[in-house]
C-alpha cells in the first residue's frame, strides 16, 4: 500500500456534498412553481405566462423555464433576441415573446427561431412585414402600446392606423405595461386601464395583456387574456407594504473562511471605516461585490448595514464590502456557529430579497439579477 499524502487524505475525508465554492445559491423550483400556480389562480380565466428574462431573474433560465413549462406555463417573455434563441432551444413548443421587439437587422433570426417580437414602432412593423414577405407568410408578433411608461410602444391615439398597418403581419397579442401597479391607489392605474381598453377595441379577437406581477393583485382585476408575472414568480413581493404572498425561491449562503478576535479600537477593512466599540469577534465570509452583493450594504457607524444569519442570530456587516469578502460582527452569535468553515445565510426565509434591497438602497429586482456566477448553484426540483 502506498503512502497517502496529506492532500489525498484531506480529499478523502471531504464531504462530497459540500461545494468547494465559498458561496452557495439554492433555488427552490418547487416554490417557483407554487408561485406561478398561485398567480395563475388569481388571474382567473386569463392565461398565466412568465417573464424569464435576465437569465430567469438571475436564477438560471434553463432550470426556471423547465420547471415552469413542466407546471403548464406555455407563454414566456424574454428581453432580446439572444435570450429568445436560448429559450427556444430549451422549449421548442412554447410561445416566446421578445420584449425588445425587432432590433435592426434581427428579423431573419427572430423568424428562424419562431420568436414573436413585441413591436412598438413603424420601423419595426415594416421590417417584420418585409421579413414575412420574403418568407412567403405573415409573421406573428405582439403589438405594444405605450399607455404611460414612455419607454416603448405605439401611441394609443394611433391605434386605428396601427391596426390597419398590422394587417401585413399576424398580431397574436396586444399589450402594454403598468407604471405603478405596485401602488394600489395610484391614479395612473385607472388611466392606463382605460387607455388600454380603448386600444384593445381596435384589435377585436386578438388576446390582450397588461398585468405584471403587481397588476395581478390590483382590485380592478386587469387580467384581460394573459398575465405576465416576473418578479413575483421569484419570491419578490408584488404587494409592497403588505405581507409577501409569494414563497421565497432563492437562498444564498456563504462560508466563513476566517474568524478572529479584535480589541476595542481596532478597525476592519479598507479605509478603516468601522471601529470595534469593544472586544469583538469578527468573521470573514467568501463573497463580495464581484458576486453581486451590493457594496452599499457596507457596515459603518451611523448607517444601515447588510446582515447575515449566524446560528439563528442576525450579525451585521462591518467595514467595506470588498470584491471577494464581507466581514461580519459575530460577537453575539453562538461560538459553535461562528467558526471557520461554517455557513451563514445572506438571503432566504429570514432575510427576504426586499429586506436586503432596502439595506442596500436598491430594489429586489437588482439584487436577484446581479447574483454572481461564482456561486455553487443547487436546484430543488418541484
Amino acid at each position: 500500500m502506498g503512502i497517502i499524502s496529506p492532500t489525498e487524505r484531506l480529499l478523502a475525508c471531504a464531504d462530497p456534498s459540500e461545494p468547494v465554492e465559498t458561496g452557495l445559491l439554492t433555488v427552490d423550483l418547487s416554490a417557483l412553481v407554487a408561485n406561478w400556480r398561485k398567480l395563475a389562480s388569481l388571474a382567473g380565466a386569463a392565461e398565466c405566462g412568465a417573464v424569464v428574462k435576465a437569465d430567469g431573474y438571475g436564477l438560471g433560465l434553463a432550470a426556471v423555464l423547465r420547471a415552469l413549462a413542466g407546471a403548464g406555463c406555455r407563454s414566456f417573455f424574454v428581453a432580446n433576441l439572444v435570450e429568445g434563441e436560448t429559450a427556444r432551444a430549451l422549449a421548442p413548443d412554447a410561445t416566446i415573446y421578445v420584449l425588445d421587439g425587432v432590433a435592426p437587422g434581427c428579423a431573419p433570426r427572430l423568424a428562424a427561431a419562431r420568436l414573436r417580437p413585441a413591436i412598438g414602432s413603424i420601423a419595426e412593423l415594416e421590417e417584420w412585414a418585409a421579413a414575412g414577405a420574403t418568407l412567403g407568410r405573415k409573421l406573428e408578433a405582439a403589438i405594444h402600446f405605450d399607455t404611460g411608461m414612455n419607454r416603448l410602444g405605439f401611441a394609443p391615439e394611433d391605434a386605428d392606423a396601427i391596426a390597419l398597418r398590422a394587417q401585413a403581419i399576424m398580431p397574436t397579442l396586444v399589450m402594454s405595461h403598468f407604471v405603478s401597479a405596485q401602488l394600489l391607489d395610484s391614479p395612473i392605474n385607472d388611466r392606463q386601464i382605460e387607455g388600454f381598453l380603448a386600444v384593445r377595441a381596435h384589435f377585436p379577437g386578438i388576446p390582450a395583456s397588461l398585468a405584471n406581477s403587481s397588476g395581478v393583485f390590483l382590485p380592478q382585476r386587469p387580467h384581460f387574456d394573459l398575465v405576465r408575472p416576473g418578479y413575483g414568480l421569484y419570491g419578490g413581493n408584488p404587494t409592497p407594504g403588505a405581507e409577501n404572498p409569494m414563497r421565497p425561491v432563492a437562498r444564498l449562503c456563504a462560508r466563513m473562511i476566517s474568524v478572529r478576535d479584535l480589541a476595542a479600537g481596532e478597525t476592519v477593512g479598507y479605509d478603516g471605516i468601522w471601529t470595534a466599540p469593544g472586544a469583538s469577534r469578527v468573521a470573514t465570509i467568501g463573497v463580495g461585490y464581484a458576486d453581486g452583493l451590493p457594496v452599499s450594504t457596507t457596515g459603518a457607524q451611523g448607517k444601515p448595514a447588510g446582515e447575515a444569519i449566524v446560528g439563528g442570530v442576525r450579525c451585521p456587516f462591518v467595514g467595506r464590502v470588498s470584491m471577494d469578502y464581507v466581514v461580519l460582527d459575530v460577537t453575539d452569535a453562538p461560538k459553535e456557529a461562528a467558526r471557520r468553515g461554517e455557513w451563514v445565510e445572506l438571503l432566504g426565509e429570514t432575510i427576504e430579497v426586499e429586506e436586503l434591497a432596502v439595506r442596500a438602497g436598491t430594489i429586489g429586482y437588482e439584487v436577484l439579477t446581479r447574483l454572481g456566477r461564482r456561486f455553487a448553484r443547487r436546484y430543488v426540483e418541484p
Side-chain angles (χ1 to χ4, degrees), residues 3-286:
I3 297 174
I4 299 176
S5 71
T7 299
E8 290 172 325
R9 187 178 297 111
L10 178 63
L11 291 174
C13 295
D15 181 351
S17 68
E18 288 287 323
V20 296
E21 296 88 348
T22 51
L24 172 61
L25 177 65
T26 302
V27 179
D28 188 346
L29 297 174
S30 62
L32 174 80
V33 167
N35 289 341
W36 180 79
R37 287 175 173 155
K38 181 180 183 70
L39 290 161
S41 67
L42 292 171
E47 178 188 354
C48 187
V51 180
V52 295
K53 61 184 180 178
D55 194 32
Y57 278 55
L59 302 187
L61 176 61
V64 163
L65 199 152
R66 183 182 69 249
L68 291 174
C73 185
R74 294 293 175 262
S75 295
F76 298 93
F77 293 79
V78 298
N80 56 42
L81 167 63
V82 174
E83 289 184 349
E85 290 174 331
T86 303
R88 173 57 70 214
L90 294 167
D93 300 322
T95 298
I96 301 172
Y97 287 97
V98 176
L99 296 171
D100 278 5
V102 183
C106 289
R109 284 177 60 178
L110 286 163
R114 294 179 290 114
L115 303 173
R116 300 181 183 182
I119 292 175
S121 71
I122 294 296
E124 292 175 84
L125 199 159
E126 290 179 343
E127 190 167 344
W128 196 234
T134 299
L135 294 171
R137 58 187 173 88
K138 292 184 178 182
L139 298 177
E140 297 170 319
I143 307 297
H144 187 180
F145 283 89
D146 175 21
T147 56
M149 185 70 78
N150 285 315
R151 191 172 62 177
L152 298 171
F154 293 107
E157 57 267 26
D158 295 332
D160 189 39
I162 299 305
L164 184 63
R165 299 189 71 155
Q167 292 178 10
I169 63 172
M170 184 179 293
T172 56
L173 188 68
V174 180
M175 61 176 287
S176 189
H177 193 62
F178 274 118
V179 172
S180 302
Q182 72 277 12
L183 304 176
L184 297 182
D185 57 353
S186 174
I188 196 172
N189 293 330
D190 285 327
R191 292 200 299 270
Q192 286 193 272
I193 293 169
E194 182 180 352
F196 188 63
L197 283 168
V199 165
R200 187 192 187 196
H202 294 279
F203 295 86
I206 297 176
S209 177
L210 178 60
N212 54 5
S213 294
S214 295
V216 171
F217 291 86
L218 285 176
Q220 299 95 328
R221 297 181 61 81
H223 301 153
F224 295 97
D225 302 293
L226 170 68
V227 298
R228 45 181 206 278
Y231 187 50
L233 292 175
Y234 307 100
N237 189 356
T239 58
E243 183 178 354
N244 188 354
M246 316 315 301
R247 287 175 52 182
V249 174
R251 182 171 187 257
L252 177 60
C253 294
R255 206 166 199 176
M256 296 185 194
I257 57 177
S258 172
V259 181
R260 66 188 60 207
D261 295 309
L262 300 183
E266 291 192 85
T267 64
V268 169
Y270 289 112
D271 302 323
I273 63 173
W274 183 86
T275 303
S280 304
R281 191 166 177 80
V282 298
T284 300
I285 57 175

Side-chain angles (χ1 to χ4, degrees), residues 19-26 251-258 268 270 283-299 306-310 315-328 342-347 351 356 367 370-377:
V20 296
E21 296 88 348
T22 51
L24 172 61
L25 177 65
T26 302
R251 182 171 187 257
L252 177 60
C253 294
R255 206 166 199 176
M256 296 185 194
I257 57 177
S258 172
V268 169
Y270 289 112
T284 300
I285 57 175
V287 299
Y289 61 72
D291 303 292
L293 199 64
V295 71
S296 50
T297 53
T298 284
E307 291 183 334
I309 306 300
V310 182
C315 295
F317 295 5
V318 292
R320 290 197 188 282
V321 172
S322 57
M323 184 180 293
D324 308 298
Y325 309 113
V326 171
V327 180
L328 310 175
E342 295 295 326
W343 292 89
V344 307
E345 183 179 284
L346 297 167
L347 182 67
I351 300 177
L356 179 55
V367 169
R370 291 184 63 187
L371 292 172
R373 304 307 306 178
R374 297 197 297 185
F375 298 134
R377 291 186 174 223

